[in-house]
Every structure is written in C-alpha cells, then in structure tokens.
Amino acid sequence: MNPAAALRRRLDGWFLSRRPPSDRLRLTQRNVYIVPSRAGWMLGATLGVLLLASINYQLNLGYLMTFLLAGCAAVGMHVCHATLRGLGLHLAPPEPQFAGDSATLRVTLHNERRGTRHGIGLAVRGSGQWSWTDVPAQGTATVDVAFRAPRRGRHPVPVLTAETRFPLGTFRVWTVWRPAAQLLVYPKPEAHPPPLPAPEPRPGEAPASLRARAGGDFDGVRAYHRGDPLKLVVWKRVARAQAAGSDELVSRDADEARRHELWLDAQAAGLADPEARLARLAAWVLQAERLGLDYGLRAGGRTIAPAQGEAHKRSCLEWLATC
C-alpha cells in the first residue's frame, strides 16, 4: 500500500471512530458536510472569468450576470444544505441472509418540515450504487439499500452515506452513518446436496421396527387416507408413480415414523472441509423443512432437538452461521 493510500485509510478510520454507532440518526449542522461539486467548481471558474472580463472592459451587463449567477449559487448552497439538515434516518433490523446473496437494508427517512425534500440518495459508503427518493412534507419515505452479504457469521452493517445535490447540482451535501445493527449471514447452502441421511431409531426402539433409506424414503408406508396431513405424503414415491402413469398416493405410517428421528449430523456429511460441511448441513436443513419433516442438528459441539417450523429452521441456520 502506497503512503498516500495508507494515510487516507488512517484518516478515514479516525473519522469513522468519531461517529458513534446508532440505528437512528438525526442530521444536524454538526454531521452534515458540504463541498462544491465539479459543476460548482466550473461555475466558480466561469464567474471568475466573467468578473475579470467585466472589470477590464467595463461591462455593466457582465457585472449584472456575474452577481446574478453568484446569488443563484449562494441560494442553491443554502437550499442544498437544508435538504439534508433536519432529516431523520431509521434503519430497520436487517433480515438474515445467505452468504453471497444480495442483502437489503431498509431505511426510513422522516421529514418534519412543511416542504418536500427532493433528490436524496442513500448507498453503502464507497459502493457507488445509489437509491434515490423524495421525502414528502411532514411524511416519510422508505429506501432499500442493497449490498452483497459477506461470509457466514455476524457482521456489523456497513457504513452508509446519504447525499443530495438538489437544486442546482453545484454543491454536494452528504453525511456518514454508522448503524449499530448486525447482519446475520447463514452459510451458503450446497447447490446439489446428497439425499438426507437415514433416520435413526429412538432410544429404546428396535432398529428393525422401521427400515429407512437415505433421502427420507421410508419403507413404513401405507395407502393415502383422506385427511392425511400433506407432510406425511411421500412425494418422491408419488413422483415416481406419476412418471410410471399412476396416480397412487402413499403416506408414511405415522406410528412407525414416530419411532425414528432424523438427525442432521456434521459427521454424516462426509466432507473434510469444515465450511463445506456447514454448507451441506444448511442445504439439508432447508430440504428437511421443505418436506415437513422433524429433524435435529448436531454440529459444532451442540445438539438441537428434533422439531420443525420456521423458528426451528432459523435456530439451526443461526447455529450453523456462528459455530
């Protein structure tokens, strides 16, 4: 890293360290900054040339144009700064994401002023991918800011920036925001995982009471009865029957199924790489949940008892993300 880049990085770190993290931010005179944009610098240079020409050639019209344009720029500077000043920002708790997917941060902008605030953009700092909105008078607007979710684990939400160049584009007004929230990133599920492992007999049950094959196919099945829950239907058998031209439906024998438990075990994943094992377990969790099966998880020295449902799925994925 060259000295200039290292110095810039140190200054940037010092600047961010002075911004206390918070999921709510009120923009005031102390945290809103303004500098001329490229168009503003060009306007300044044009005004300088026009003023020199007016002085040298005693052009009254030149004086009029110079001070008229300078007055417009001064008013534009005040309006531009006021567009952000007084605005309230609130970050909603981010939803967990899978590694590599596009994560979305939802920011609500609150405007207590009686006038509309125009042309306000938000982005992850340094990304250059802006989301623009207008905030109505004494109202709110919601902006979704997207970024790529990093590797699995808990990560602080990236630094955000809000900016406006309204109304003339001659000044850039911006602020820097460090949210306090954290983003939970699940392992990226394996694209084509093998079938689910075979269910294990419950303690005290005879191993031969129900033979189960890998992938969730149970030998203990019976003909479908009206009123059977859909989670008991053996859909793989149904698909094979339909491929053979039959409409026969079969269901798992619930009494037999209760004698076995489906465990998603890291040791059963059959992979040496720890991250690859977690990716396979994440894929198995999604597959078991999609099939409506009760399943437990053994990974990272922790055991999560068999269950099903959204809360159980989130609990398993959260442990896989942080173990």
Side-chain angles (χ1 to χ4, degrees):
M1 183 181 297
N2 60 67
L7 178 61
R8 191 181 304 111
R9 188 169 182 176
R10 290 184 61 184
L11 289 175
D12 190 61
W14 172 83
F15 174 74
L16 291 178
S17 68
R18 296 173 61 86
R19 314 295 302 171
S22 174
D23 290 337
R24 292 181 180 271
L25 180 65
R26 182 77 174 180
L27 301 184
T28 64
Q29 192 81 24
R30 298 174 60 88
N31 54 22
V32 174
Y33 314 100
I34 181 171
V35 293
S37 63
R38 290 185 180 181
W41 288 115
M42 290 297 296
L43 177 62
T46 302
L47 290 176
V49 172
L50 185 58
L51 180 60
L52 288 176
S54 301
I55 293 173
N56 289 336
Y57 295 101
Q58 294 297 308
L59 300 175
N60 292 332
L61 185 58
Y63 286 120
L64 178 62
M65 290 295 297
T66 300
F67 291 111
L68 181 61
L69 290 175
C72 290
V75 173
M77 177 180 67
H78 173 75
V79 173
C80 191
H81 194 271
T83 299
L84 279 191
R85 191 178 65 246
L87 191 67
L89 306 177
H90 174 226
L91 175 67
E95 289 292 325
Q97 301 290 337
F98 289 98
D101 289 352
S102 178
T104 301
L105 303 176
R106 177 152 294 182
V107 180
T108 303
L109 291 74
H110 301 269
N111 178 20
E112 298 178 356
R113 201 172 65 183
R114 294 183 179 179
T116 302
R117 299 175 187 262
H118 298 279
I120 298 175
L122 281 94
V124 173
R125 188 166 181 251
S127 68
Q129 299 178 353
W130 294 92
S131 298
W132 298 92
T133 188
D134 296 333
V135 188
Q138 296 182 328
T140 62
T142 301
V143 177
D144 290 335
V145 181
F147 70 101
R148 186 70 61 183
R151 64 188 182 280
R152 71 176 182 91
R154 290 189 182 274
H155 304 277
V157 169
V159 177
L160 303 177
T161 183
E163 176 181 313
T164 185
R165 303 193 183 196
F166 178 83
L168 301 177
T170 52
F171 287 90
R172 173 177 175 259
V173 178
W174 83 99
T175 188
V176 176
W177 181 19
R178 285 182 61 200
Q182 291 189 328
L183 176 67
L184 178 62
V185 181
Y186 300 144
K188 184 177 182 62
E190 186 177 1
H192 303 288
L196 293 172
E200 302 175 7
R202 290 178 181 270
E205 294 288 344
S209 63
L210 172 66
R211 295 185 305 277
R213 291 198 288 262
D217 278 352
F218 291 82
D219 285 337
V221 297
R222 56 173 173 74
Y224 177 81
H225 296 161
R226 184 183 299 274
D228 281 351
L230 291 179
K231 69 178 184 179
L232 292 182
V233 176
V234 185
W235 294 107
K236 289 188 177 182
R237 295 257 183 114
V238 173
R240 287 198 292 266
Q242 290 180 344
S246 172
D247 293 331
E248 181 185 5
L249 295 178
V250 292
S251 299
R252 296 187 183 93
D253 190 328
D255 292 334
E256 292 292 333
R258 280 194 292 268
R259 300 174 185 172
H260 281 65
E261 296 175 327
L262 175 60
W263 285 97
L264 309 180
D265 196 323
Q267 301 300 322
L271 295 171
D273 181 41
E275 295 300 322
R277 283 202 301 268
L278 294 177
R280 178 163 294 180
L281 288 173
W284 279 350
V285 166
L286 298 179
Q287 184 177 351
E289 188 66 36
R290 188 168 57 249
L291 294 174
L293 304 175
D294 287 348
Y295 58 94
L297 179 67
R298 298 189 190 112
R302 180 183 174 186
T303 299
I304 299 178
Q308 63 173 281
E310 184 66 22
H312 180 63
K313 181 186 75 172
R314 285 178 175 262
S315 177
C316 292
L317 291 176
E318 180 177 353
W319 176 245
L320 294 177
T322 57
C323 69

